[in-house]
Amino acid sequence: MKNWKFKGLYLKKGWISPAFVSTDDDGKILSIDSESFLKVDESVDGYAIAPIPNAHSHAFQYVMAGLTENIPKGHQGDNFWSWRERMYAIADQVSPEQMEVIASMLYSEMLRLGYDQVVEFHYLNKDSNGRAYNNPNEMAERLISAAKRVGMKITMAPVYYRTAGFNQGPSEAQRRFQYESTDAYFSQIEDLKSKYEHDSEVKIGYGQHSLRAANVEETKEIFAYSSEMPCHIHISEQTQEVEGSLKHLGARPVEWLANEVGMGQNTNLIHSTHITENEMQSIIRAKANVVICPSTEGNLGDGYFPISDFIEAGGRWCIGSDSHIGINPFEDLRLLDYGQRMSKQKRNIMLNGKPGDSAAISYDTVFDNGHLAAGESKNDYFQVGDDLDVLIINSQSPLMTRNTNDGRLATIVYALDNSAIYGRLKSGEWLVKKGVHIIHDEITQDFSKTVNDIN
């Protein structure tokens, strides 16, 4: 048993300050209170908040962050589709060993900055010749191994990918992504479920890369399993995709999915940037979840998701870091909010003119729906019986020295930078301390070699 004291702890009912938390020998919470007569074993001069889930990740893309902010000589302009060609060139090089190294570095950085669980939308599953590895789940298990190495909880979501576009066959450039059939895909899913069914750190999800990545029959077969576990799909990210769907399916992407396949609370729609009012309402009626990736969507020039209208109508949403051009969840929340503020020329657009706190509504939402996207449910940030997993904000950071708790969460979400993050506890043990992961040097050394070998 261990007794902790924090400067403050944030619950859905608000701040407890000071906060006393007792844990058992496994780091599970026994009690939470604002006062205690027990001896304090460790006092932390910081404010503790719950880390949040990262609901969308392509780990291998982290290695290319910062390398596409230019237009190569001889090219005219740049957009998502030209970026994609560069991404294919990187994907063509990554070995299983390199995948594990890249993911270890990425996940450790996510942990340091405020995430605690990642939904890995995994499609780089074949070797460089497009052949299955001896272990078909080699790449997926490398990603899981990386997560476990650094202390990240993971929802592994292999995704079905077979065709290069609507009414097209497979593409040579996408040979590492493709499955030969839905049977092969579901066989790999079942193998993963069997292997990790007793591992509390690993959950299994599934999905489809996009509507253009499979034919109609395959899409219906994939989504038939959405009542069992989280199902993820890229959708309506680009106007070209919407135009292709209208041409080949006779309807917009979300419209077609809603009418022809169906959606439910396990359906996670990645991006959904270009949706109509009717499509928005169909998402909300189905209680489906939209996963917004603000830094990636901004970097790729996708467009703005209509977040204030979606919130006003009662929609579910959370966030992910996708290509990892940015991996700070608070920066992503700011980018999402500020983009709409500039567009609408209003402040606190998340609240739609109603009294409340912009930080609280965002933080509550991404916590709750992020966990659902990852395949679990939580009722509060910290509860008796939970692991003591906390992100600690330095109480000596200038803006955190205010004596009042009013605006404290909003200060964290809107006003601080990475230097204010002191550390992370996982199951009552230090995972990140003074801003440094406990195996930072080991991870960085491996990553430095890999990033230079690939690039």
Side-chain angles (χ1 to χ4, degrees):
M1 181 175 175
K2 186 171 184 178
N3 300 311
W4 295 83
K5 180 183 178 182
F6 301 98
K7 190 88 172 178
L9 182 81
Y10 187 69
L11 299 172
K12 289 200 172 180
K13 65 182 180 182
W15 287 97
I16 297 177
S17 186
F20 297 88
V21 181
S22 295
T23 57
D24 65 16
D25 292 341
D26 295 321
K28 293 189 179 297
I29 298 172
L30 297 173
S31 65
I32 302 172
D33 214 325
S34 58
E35 58 182 23
S36 175
F37 300 104
L38 300 173
K39 176 187 174 184
V40 173
D41 297 305
E42 187 163 359
S43 182
V44 180
D45 190 16
Y47 290 91
I49 64 174
I52 64 174
N54 185 331
H56 191 63
S57 165
H58 306 296
F60 77 92
Q61 292 180 16
Y62 180 52
V63 79
M64 65 184 283
L67 295 180
T68 63
E69 308 312 307
N70 65 306
I71 298 176
K73 190 174 182 179
H75 288 66
Q76 296 296 317
D78 192 19
N79 58 24
F80 169 83
W81 305 99
S82 51
W83 172 90
R84 189 177 72 159
E85 293 304 316
R86 302 188 207 180
M87 181 269 286
Y88 288 164
I90 294 290
D92 208 32
Q93 303 175 56
V94 179
S95 70
E97 293 79 13
Q98 290 171 327
M99 176 71 94
E100 185 167 349
V101 168
I102 294 166
S104 295
M105 189 78 252
L106 170 66
Y107 296 160
S108 73
E109 287 292 278
M110 286 184 187
L111 286 164
R112 182 176 69 85
L113 295 171
Y115 289 116
D116 76 330
Q117 183 155 349
V118 62
V119 179
E120 187 60 43
F121 191 87
H122 167 57
Y123 58 83
L124 184 54
N125 65 89
K126 298 291 195 299
D127 71 16
S128 58
N129 294 309
R131 294 190 293 260
Y133 291 100
N134 290 335
N135 170 11
N137 280 315
E138 174 75 21
M139 282 293 206
E141 291 183 20
R142 292 286 186 160
L143 289 158
I144 293 170
S145 177
K148 294 174 76 66
R149 178 186 181 192
V150 301
M152 174 69 81
K153 296 176 183 177
I154 187 169
T155 298
M156 172 50 59
V159 295
Y160 190 67
Y161 201 135
R162 195 184 63 78
T163 58
F166 294 108
N167 291 351
Q168 295 181 30
S171 162
E172 175 64 16
Q174 300 163 347
R175 63 189 179 281
R176 299 195 70 180
F177 311 157
Q178 292 163 344
Y179 284 89
E180 296 75 25
S181 67
T182 53
D183 286 344
Y185 172 71
F186 283 117
S187 175
Q188 288 183 223
I189 293 285
E190 291 305 314
D191 285 347
L192 288 169
K193 288 170 64 176
S194 176
K195 183 166 185 176
Y196 295 101
E197 63 180 332
H198 300 301
D199 192 328
S200 63
E201 300 284 292
V202 180
K203 298 186 182 304
I204 307 301
Y206 79 113
Q208 182 171 307
H209 178 272
S210 54
L211 289 184
R212 66 180 184 274
N215 64 35
V216 168
E217 292 74 21
E218 290 167 329
T219 299
K220 291 181 177 180
E221 186 177 354
I222 295 290
F223 274 82
Y225 289 81
S226 63
S227 62
E228 299 178 14
M229 53 185 176
C231 180
H232 294 249
I233 185 171
H234 291 142
I235 202 160
S236 294
E237 179 180 5
Q238 289 284 324
T239 55
Q240 183 174 316
E241 176 193 345
V242 175
E243 291 162 2
S245 181
L246 284 165
K247 179 179 179 180
H248 296 285
L249 298 177
R252 299 172 62 89
V254 173
E255 177 188 17
W256 185 87
L257 192 66
N259 293 338
E260 301 297 327
V261 179
M263 301 183 292
Q265 63 181 5
N266 277 338
T267 305
N268 295 277
L269 304 171
I270 318 302
H271 305 303
S272 305
T273 312
H274 302 284
I275 56 174
T276 64
E277 175 66 25
N278 286 339
E279 287 179 301
M280 181 189 296
Q281 292 302 325
S282 71
I283 293 169
I284 294 168
R285 284 194 301 271
K287 299 182 180 179
N289 183 41
V290 171
V291 183
I292 311 168
C293 306
S295 56
T296 291
E297 290 155 3
N299 184 262
L300 297 179
D302 289 342
Y304 290 124
F305 179 80
I307 186 64
S308 60
D309 296 339
F310 194 63
I311 291 173
E312 176 76 358
R316 290 178 51 219
W317 62 279
C318 58
I319 61 171
S321 61
D322 196 349
S323 70
H324 317 301
I325 190 69
I327 50 176
N328 183 319
F330 306 118
E331 289 180 358
D332 264 343
L333 287 175
R334 290 172 213 164
L335 181 58
L336 177 64
D337 188 346
Y338 291 169
Q340 295 278 295
R341 292 189 189 198
M342 289 187 286
S343 175
K344 292 179 178 289
Q345 300 180 51
K346 293 181 180 179
R347 299 194 70 249
N348 288 303
I349 56 89
M350 300 281 196
L351 301 175
N352 287 290
K354 302 183 181 78
D357 185 298
S358 290
I361 191 172
S362 296
Y363 186 66
D364 286 356
T365 298
V366 297
F367 180 87
D368 291 347
N369 294 324
H371 278 289
L372 290 172
E376 61 184 19
S377 178
K378 290 196 176 252
N379 296 320
D380 205 339
Y381 299 124
F382 302 102
Q383 300 177 101
V384 171
D386 285 351
D387 294 324
L388 180 61
D389 294 346
V390 297
L391 176 69
I392 298 167
I393 309 299
N394 191 343
S395 63
Q396 299 308 308
S397 184
L399 291 174
M400 295 298 288
T401 60
R402 296 183 177 118
N403 291 326
T404 177
N405 283 324
D406 291 344
R408 195 172 298 288
L409 181 66
T411 299
I412 295 170
V413 173
Y414 284 97
L416 301 184
D417 61 23
N418 298 349
S419 66
I421 297 174
Y422 178 79
R424 279 291 314 277
L425 292 174
K426 181 182 179 185
S427 299
E429 299 287 343
W430 287 102
L431 190 66
V432 176
K433 196 168 188 179
K434 296 182 179 179
V436 179
H437 193 282
I438 57 173
I439 58 170
H440 172 79
D441 291 346
E442 174 188 329
I443 299 167
T444 303
Q445 184 176 11
D446 292 342
F447 182 73
S448 179
K449 181 179 185 306
T450 295
V451 77
N452 283 292
D453 285 347
I454 291 177
N455 298 322

